[in-house]
């Protein structure tokens, strides 16, 4: 009987420890801040050179830069992808309905959506962004960000584009949203 009780107690303790160490599926950061989900942006016709990996890197970079402002809690991008992937064109489309649906599913206050209007591997890119308020479905902030690399593009690959073109855009976007005092 003592062995049975000891086994039950040990099982409860181990299960509790495993649960405590499990990674969070929700928010990265401080829960007192504004919760935002960043969805993968949809490339437009002038962004055909953008690889699937470059789209994911852009999403992660935007999420990271917003988190670094210390004004936002960012929903884990892996789980944001799961929630939005099936209807990504609609989430980034003209209507806010799909973005609101994703935001409610993720329990966030805002969903940042966008399109990559230009992605030129010779060193330029343009993003159009929208910050959708989940409770109202209204676009709280929209903007367009462009950047032309000041450095010569040697390969035009994803890493070079990320470093020389997309990083300055994500920094501008994060600063703009942080200053908007949402």
């Amino acid at each position: 009987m003592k062995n049975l009780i000891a086994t039950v107690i040990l099982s409860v303790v181990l299960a509790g420890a495993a649960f405590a160490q499990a990674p969070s599926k929700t928010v990265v950061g401080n829960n007192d801040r504004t919760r935002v989900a960043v969805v993968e942006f949809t490339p437009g016709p002038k962004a055909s050179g953008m690889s699937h990996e470059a789209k994911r890197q852009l999403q992660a970079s935007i999420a990271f830069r917003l988190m670094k402002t210390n004004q936002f809690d960012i929903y884990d991008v892996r789980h944001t992808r799961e929630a939005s992937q099936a209807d990504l064109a609609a989430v980034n489309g003209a209507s806010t309905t799909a973005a609101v649906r994703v935001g409610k599913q993720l329990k966030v206050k805002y969903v940042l959506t966008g399109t990559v209007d230009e992605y030129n591997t010779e060193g330029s890119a343009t993003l159009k962004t929208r910050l959708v308020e989940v409770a109202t479905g209204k676009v709280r902030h929209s903007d367009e960000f462009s950047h032309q690399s000041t450095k010569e593009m040697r390969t035009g690959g994803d890493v070079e584009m990320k470093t020389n073109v997309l990083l300055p855009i994500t920094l501008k976007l994060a600063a703009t949203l942080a200053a908007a005092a949402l």
Side-chain angles (χ1 to χ4, degrees), residues 18-98:
F19 180 72
Q21 292 178 358
S24 170
K25 283 190 164 188
T26 57
V27 176
V28 176
N30 179 339
N31 288 333
D32 294 334
R33 299 183 186 142
T34 304
R35 290 181 170 200
V36 178
V38 178
V39 299
E40 189 175 297
F41 286 21
T42 304
K46 293 182 183 177
S48 61
M50 187 173 208
S51 71
H52 184 68
E53 185 60 30
K55 290 189 299 181
R56 288 182 170 232
Q57 287 176 357
L58 175 62
Q59 178 190 19
S61 180
I62 291 170
F64 176 74
R65 293 299 167 186
L66 287 175
M67 185 183 71
K68 293 293 280 182
T69 67
N70 291 322
Q71 292 187 347
F72 304 103
D73 277 334
I74 304 300
Y75 199 88
D76 190 322
V77 295
R78 294 169 298 179
H79 303 297
T80 302
R81 286 182 191 131
E82 292 171 7
S84 64
Q85 202 62 46
D87 207 11
L88 197 54
V91 170
N92 290 321
S95 171
T96 61
T97 305

Side-chain angles (χ1 to χ4, degrees), residues 63-181:
F64 176 74
R65 293 299 167 186
L66 287 175
M67 185 183 71
K68 293 293 280 182
T69 67
N70 291 322
Q71 292 187 347
F72 304 103
D73 277 334
I74 304 300
Y75 199 88
D76 190 322
V77 295
R78 294 169 298 179
H79 303 297
T80 302
R81 286 182 191 131
E82 292 171 7
S84 64
Q85 202 62 46
D87 207 11
L88 197 54
V91 170
N92 290 321
S95 171
T96 61
T97 305
V100 167
R101 186 177 70 259
V102 168
K104 286 181 179 179
Q105 179 182 348
L106 300 176
K107 296 181 174 97
V108 295
K109 186 170 183 176
Y110 296 103
V111 176
L112 181 66
T113 70
T115 57
V116 181
D117 281 2
E118 177 197 2
Y119 185 87
N120 182 336
T121 56
E122 293 178 12
S124 64
T126 301
L127 306 181
K128 287 186 180 175
T129 63
R130 294 183 314 161
L131 189 68
V132 178
E133 186 174 29
V134 174
T136 64
K138 293 183 179 180
V139 176
R140 285 291 306 264
H141 184 85
S142 65
D143 216 330
E144 181 175 313
F145 299 90
S146 295
H147 187 76
Q148 174 73 45
S149 176
T150 57
K151 297 180 181 180
E152 180 185 349
M153 299 293 282
R154 297 180 189 271
T155 66
D158 289 345
V159 173
E160 195 173 34
M161 283 294 290
K162 178 183 176 187
T163 304
N164 296 335
V165 181
L166 296 177
L167 177 60
I169 291 174
T170 59
L171 290 170
K172 285 185 226 175
L173 170 60
T176 299
L177 291 179

